[in-house]
Amino acid sequence: MFAQLKARFGGPLAMAMLTLLGMWLIVMVTLPQLQMIDYSLRPNLLPAEVGGPKDGWTLDNYVTLFNNDIHRGIFFKTLWSSILVTVLTLIVSYPLAYYLAKVATPRQAALCLLMLIVPFWINEILRTYSWFIILAFRGPLNEILLALGLIERPIRFLNGDAGVMVGMVYAYILFMVFPLYNAIESLDDNQIRAARDLGAGTLRTHRRIVIPHAKPGIATGSIMTFMLAAGSYAVPALLGSPGSRWFTQIIYNWFFEGGNWNQGAAYAFLLLVLCIGFMSLVMKFFKVGLGDIAK
Amino acid sequence: MDGSVKLDEVVMRFGDFTAIEPTTLAIESGEFFSFLGPSGCGKTTLLNIVSGFLTPSEGQVLIGGEPMAGVPVNRRPTAMIFQNLALFPLMTVFENIEFGLEVRGVDKRTRREASERLLSLVALEGSGPKLVTELSGGQKQRIAIARALAVEPRVLLLDEPLSALDLKLRQHMRAELKAIQRKTGITFIYITHDQGEALTMSDRVAVMSAGRIQQVADPMTLYRSPSTGFVASFVGENNRLEAKVIDRQGERVRVDAGLLGELPGRAGAQAPLGNGQAAALYIRPEHLRPVTQGASGPQLEVDIVSVQFEGASLMLQTRLVASAELLRVQLGSELAKRASTGSFQPGERIILGYDPDDAVVLPDDGSPRLDEETGEVVETTAGTAGAVQPSGGADVRSA
Ligand SMILES: Nc1ncnc2c1ncn2[C@@H]1O[C@H](COP(=O)(O)OP(=O)(O)OP(=O)(O)O)[C@@H](O)[C@H]1O
Ligand SMILES: [Mg+2]
C-alpha cells in the first residue's frame, strides 16, 4: 500500500497519510476498545478503592450474564431477532435490488432510488417515531385495515416484536439494497437471458444464476444489517414494548442507570463478540473473503 | 422433427424507429441459413424475435409450423449462442452443458451421459470437471455450442459467435460449425457481418440492409446474380459504373455509360430495366482482364495507379482514362506472373475487357450501397446519373 501511495503522491506525503491513518486507527478504534476490555475485567469499585487490594482482573462481569436468566434471554433474543431482521430485510431488498439493477429503465431506477433515499435525510429517531404513529393502536394502519373490513378490531402492533421488526427492516433497508444492487448490476444480462433460453423459469434463474452471482452482495448486506440491528438502540426503545427489550437497552442501563460501567463494558464486549462471530459465520457460509465484502 | 422457421409479415418498432421493415421469410428445416448485413441493420433484433426475447410489433413467427405468439423464451424449441457466449462462470463445464437438462428434470446419470457425448462431439473429452474460466477462447466457443445442443433444439440461433476469435481459429471453427450442423441436422440460423463466413457455411443467405431483406439466395447466386445494388457492393468486391439503359433483349442489356460510351451487360435477376432508365453496371475485379487493342467485346482504357501483389493474384488499382473513375482489377496467377517480367507497372496504360455475362446491370433504385472507400452504407438518391468523381482523383497521369 505504501508503494502505491508513494508512486502516486511521493514519499513524504504518503508517509504522512499512512501515519494519520494509523493514528486514527490506534487512537480512535483500538485504544478505546482495549480500555473497554480492561474496564470489563475489573470489578465495580468506589473511587477510593481503585488501585486498592480489591482491584484486579476478574471474569465476574462476564459470569453475571450467564447467571442472570433475564439478561441471558434478552441476549439470545437479540441474536435471533437480529437474524430475523436480517432475513426479512434480505427478502424485501432482493426483489427491489433486482428490479433496480435489471428491470427498471434508468429513469425508473433513478426515481425509485430517490424515493428510497429521501426518507433517510430525516433523523433516524423521527423516522422510527413515524412508524410508532402508523402502527399505533388507534393509528392510521389500523384505521385503514378496519375500513377495508380486513380486521374486526384494532391490532396491538406495538405489543411485542412486530413493531421492532418493521421499524428495523425499514431503518436498515438501504444497507441491504445497495450492496445487493451493486452485485446484481454487475451480472451480464446475457447470463440471465441464456438461462431463460435454456429453459429455466424465473425461480431457477434466480436460484442458479442471479443469487450465486450476488453472494458477496448478500453477505455484505447481511453483515451490515445484522450489526446495525444487534446494535440498535432507538428502534427497540421507541417501537418495542417492555416485554421486547433489546440487549443494547440492558447495556445502556448498566452504564447510565446502574452506574456500573464495568458491567456495561463486559456486556458491550459480548455484543461485539456476537457480531464478529456472526460475520465470520456468514463469510464462511457464503464462501466470501473480507476482500469481496470491502468491494 | 420440424425445425422450419417462418416469418410472416414481421415488423419491429422501437418507439418511432422501425428496426425491422415488414419481413416475410421461410427457412427450411435442417438448413444452414445466414443473415448477412452491416452493423445496425437489425440482425440481432430479428434473431431475438425468433428466440422470443422480443415480441414483434406486427406479424408472427412460426417454428415447425406452430405460431410462437405467447410462447415464452424458455418454452421455445430454440437455443441461442450469444455473441459473448454467456457461459456460466461459477459452474463447471459439466454443469454448464447440463443446465438445460437439469431444468427439464433429467436425472443425474442421463445428464452426465449426454454431456459426455456432447463433449466428444465438440472434441473436448475430459474437460468436464474444469471451470469454464479455465478454458481458452476456442474451447469456450465449443462449450457454448455443446450447452445449446444439450437441450436438443430444433433451431440453433447463433449471433456472430466467432467474432471474438482470432482469424485462424475463426476459420477452423467455421468448418467445425458446418460439420456439427450436418451431423445433427438442426436448423442453424447464423448471424454475421462477415461475408466470408456467410458464403462458406450457408445453404442460403439473406442479405439485410436497414431493417430490410435485400435478397435471399444461395451463396453462388448471391455472388453471381445480386438483385440489388446493395447486395452487389456488399457481397464480394464490385466496380460500379453509373449508366443509362439503351435497350434490352432478354438477358442482354446495352447501357450508355456516359463518357465510357456504350457497354454490354446482363440484366440482374428480375430487374425491371426500361429503356432510358438510370442504372448501374457492376463488374467484379476478377472478371476484368487485359485485352489487345481491336479485340472483340467491350473495351475500357485505363491507367494503372498501383499494384498489389497478393500471392495467388495481382490486384491493380486503375483509373479509367475517359471518366477518371477508379476501377479495381484482379489478375489470376497466369497473368500475375507477367508482372515479374515487367508488365503491369504503375503508370502503364492498358485496355481491359470483360465477358458481358459477367457484368450485371441493376436499376439505380436508390437503394443504399456501400461506399467502397469507407466501407459505410451510403444512401444513393435515384437518378443522379453521371460519373461520380472519386476522391483524390486529381491528375490521371500523376501516377
Ligand atoms: N431495445 C432497443 N431500443 C431501441 N432501439 C433498438 C433496440 N434494439 C436495437 N435497436 C436499434 O435497432 C437497430 C438494429 O439493431 P440490431 O442490434 O438488430 O443490429 P445488428 O444488425 O445486430 O447490428 P450489429 O452487427 O452491430 O450487432 C439499431 O439501429 C439499434 O440501435
Ligand atoms: Mg447484433
Side-chain angles (χ1 to χ4, degrees):
Chain A
M1 188 158 87
F2 179 71
Q4 273 179 354
L5 285 175
K6 191 177 166 188
R8 185 175 292 185
F9 300 107
L13 197 54
M15 189 56 106
M17 286 162 82
L18 281 186
T19 311
L20 277 175
L21 182 67
M23 293 266 288
W24 186 75
L25 280 176
I26 290 168
V27 176
M28 306 294 283
V29 181
T30 315
L31 285 182
Q33 284 298 334
L34 285 177
Q35 195 178 11
M36 275 272 292
I37 295 173
D38 179 53
Y39 258 73
S40 73
L41 289 171
R42 291 178 192 280
N44 187 26
L45 299 172
L46 296 172
E49 290 171 322
V50 172
K54 284 189 191 168
D55 207 351
W57 282 0
T58 158
L59 285 173
D60 282 353
N61 292 325
Y62 290 91
V63 176
T64 315
L65 180 69
F66 294 95
N67 290 336
N68 187 327
D69 286 348
I70 297 177
H71 287 179
R72 204 175 58 229
I74 292 175
F75 182 77
F76 285 112
K77 200 215 71 177
T78 303
L79 170 64
W80 301 131
S81 303
S82 300
I83 291 176
L84 191 60
V85 166
T86 307
V87 172
L88 285 177
T89 313
L90 181 61
I91 291 172
V92 174
S93 303
Y94 180 81
L96 194 59
Y98 183 79
Y99 169 80
L100 286 173
K102 291 293 169 205
V103 183
T105 62
R107 256 183 83 98
Q108 288 168 333
L111 193 70
C112 194
L113 278 178
L114 193 69
M115 286 184 348
L116 273 174
I117 292 169
V118 164
F120 283 78
W121 293 347
I122 301 166
N123 170 303
E124 183 182 345
I125 308 278
L126 288 178
R127 249 184 305 133
T128 307
Y129 202 74
S130 69
W131 276 106
F132 182 77
I133 296 169
I134 294 169
L135 297 174
F137 189 66
R138 298 234 167 268
L141 184 59
N142 269 322
E143 296 289 331
I144 289 170
L145 290 177
L146 280 173
L148 290 174
L150 291 173
I151 51 172
E152 302 256 304
R153 56 180 71 88
I155 298 171
R156 286 197 186 277
F157 291 112
L158 298 174
N159 197 12
D161 288 330
V164 181
M165 295 284 152
V166 171
M168 285 203 183
V169 169
Y170 178 67
Y172 307 131
I173 192 163
L174 283 191
F175 296 92
M176 187 67 94
V177 167
F178 281 118
L180 277 182
Y181 171 80
N182 277 335
I184 297 175
E185 158 83 51
S186 69
L187 176 66
D188 173 18
D189 285 354
N190 277 352
Q191 296 268 313
I192 300 169
R193 287 153 52 99
R196 284 195 65 69
D197 189 58
L198 291 168
T202 310
L203 272 182
R204 191 186 300 266
T205 307
H206 282 277
R207 194 160 51 84
R208 297 281 275 129
I209 309 297
V210 188
I211 292 177
H213 178 86
K215 258 186 185 178
I218 295 174
T220 314
S222 298
I223 287 169
M224 290 220 261
T225 309
F226 178 85
M227 296 221 177
L228 288 165
S232 172
Y233 182 79
V235 178
L238 281 171
L239 297 179
S241 60
S244 61
R245 280 203 293 169
W246 220 247
F247 197 61
T248 45
Q249 291 170 288
I250 313 276
I251 297 173
Y252 181 90
N253 285 350
W254 278 126
F255 273 100
F256 301 108
E257 272 153 42
N260 188 342
W261 282 41
N262 306 79
Q263 189 63 61
Y267 275 31
F269 186 67
L270 283 171
L271 186 62
L272 180 69
V273 171
L274 176 75
C275 286
I276 291 173
F278 179 84
M279 185 166 138
S280 340
L281 265 180
V282 167
M283 274 164 40
K284 196 156 189 151
F285 182 73
F286 284 98
K287 296 197 188 73
V288 295
L290 269 180
D292 296 318
I293 288 174
K295 255 190 260 176
Chain B
M1 201 175 71
D2 184 359
S4 68
V5 176
K6 267 203 182 65
L7 302 180
D8 186 13
E9 288 295 321
V10 167
V11 178
M12 188 72 222
R13 278 186 287 267
F14 297 112
D16 294 338
F17 175 71
T18 307
I20 303 291
E21 305 280 352
T23 297
T24 298
L25 182 70
I27 298 169
E28 281 161 37
S29 188
E31 195 175 11
F32 198 124
F33 192 94
S34 294
F35 286 97
L36 172 66
S39 187
C41 71
K43 305 182 295 288
T44 301
T45 306
L46 212 49
L47 206 66
N48 282 336
I49 290 172
V50 176
S51 64
F53 286 118
L54 286 175
T55 308
S57 317
E58 280 173 36
Q60 63 166 347
V61 177
L62 296 98
I63 299 178
E66 286 167 45
M68 286 291 122
V71 181
V73 178
N74 50 346
R75 298 267 161 70
R76 293 199 180 191
T78 59
M80 179 112 140
I81 294 188
F82 293 83
Q83 192 160 359
N84 64 355
L85 304 183
L87 292 173
F88 305 130
L90 302 176
M91 300 185 194
T92 63
V93 167
F94 273 141
E95 288 174 303
N96 263 279
I97 298 178
E98 290 166 25
F99 184 82
L101 299 174
E102 179 196 319
V103 168
R104 285 161 177 76
V106 176
D107 71 86
K108 221 171 173 152
R109 271 201 35 199
T110 321
R111 271 177 5 214
R112 191 48 51 95
E113 279 165 20
S115 58
E116 300 272 16
R117 204 170 52 243
L118 285 161
L119 278 176
S120 73
L121 177 73
V122 297
L124 277 177
E125 294 97 335
S127 55
K130 284 190 193 162
L131 278 176
V132 291
T133 42
E134 296 166 355
L135 302 177
S136 73
Q139 290 173 327
K140 280 186 191 152
Q141 184 71 58
R142 288 173 217 210
I143 298 305
I145 294 167
R147 184 180 71 172
L149 291 176
V151 300
E152 298 184 355
R154 283 189 265 168
V155 183
L156 194 66
L157 308 168
L158 304 100
D159 190 354
E160 311 208 18
L162 305 185
S163 56
L165 304 180
D166 61 57
L167 184 67
K168 201 94 201 188
L169 201 51
R170 202 153 61 212
Q171 281 168 345
H172 177 73
M173 286 306 296
R174 277 185 200 175
E176 202 133 311
L177 272 178
K178 183 71 191 168
I180 289 172
Q181 195 261 340
R182 277 219 197 87
K183 243 186 270 179
T184 56
I186 296 172
T187 311
F188 272 40
I189 301 185
Y190 191 93
I191 278 190
T192 182
H193 61 253
D194 178 337
Q195 46 161 311
E197 274 176 20
L199 297 181
T200 50
M201 291 192 286
S202 319
D203 296 318
R204 282 193 303 157
V205 180
V207 180
M208 285 185 75
S209 160
R212 206 182 285 279
I213 292 184
Q214 299 276 325
Q215 185 175 8
V216 182
D218 61 279
M220 199 82 89
T221 308
L222 213 54
Y223 195 80
R224 284 282 305 159
S225 306
S227 66
T228 70
F230 179 84
V231 177
S233 332
F234 190 72
V235 179
E237 222 183 313
N238 240 325
N239 293 297
R240 178 177 192 270
L241 298 171
E242 302 211 2
K244 266 196 171 59
V245 177
I246 299 173
D247 61 10
R248 170 178 184 173
Q249 280 165 356
E251 285 259 274
R252 190 55 52 89
V253 188
R254 285 192 308 139
V255 296
D256 171 14
L259 297 167
L260 300 173
E262 187 188 312
L263 293 172
R266 172 169 59 91
Q270 295 143 29
L273 292 166
N275 293 356
Q277 188 180 343
L281 183 77
Y282 291 91
I283 314 172
R284 295 198 183 274
E286 70 268 27
H287 290 147
L288 287 165
R289 57 176 189 275
V291 292
T292 48
Q293 190 118 36
S296 66
Q299 301 206 339
L300 299 164
E301 200 180 6
V302 296
D303 289 317
I304 298 176
V305 178
S306 65
V307 182
Q308 231 178 324
F309 178 62
E310 291 181 346
S313 63
L314 204 62
M315 205 72 200
L316 305 182
Q317 185 80 259
T318 68
R319 200 185 294 285
L320 283 158
V321 175
S323 66
E325 280 173 283
L326 289 173
L327 214 55
R328 276 168 70 76
V329 185
Q330 186 182 18
L331 302 180
S333 53
E334 275 310 303
L335 285 167
K337 265 190 232 156
R338 276 164 51 190
S340 56
T341 59
S343 299
F344 307 125
Q345 298 304 319
E348 193 180 331
R349 178 164 292 189
I350 56 175
I351 297 167
L352 297 171
Y354 63 89
D355 179 345
D357 271 345
D358 289 332
V360 179
V361 181
L362 293 166
D364 194 357
D365 52 6
S367 68
R369 62 176 181 87
L370 280 197
D371 184 296
E372 281 171 24
E373 268 154 57
T374 60
E376 291 188 354
V377 181
V378 289
E379 300 280 339
T380 50
T381 39
T384 51
V388 179
Q389 193 71 25
S391 55
D395 184 8
V396 184
R397 261 154 264 261
S398 69

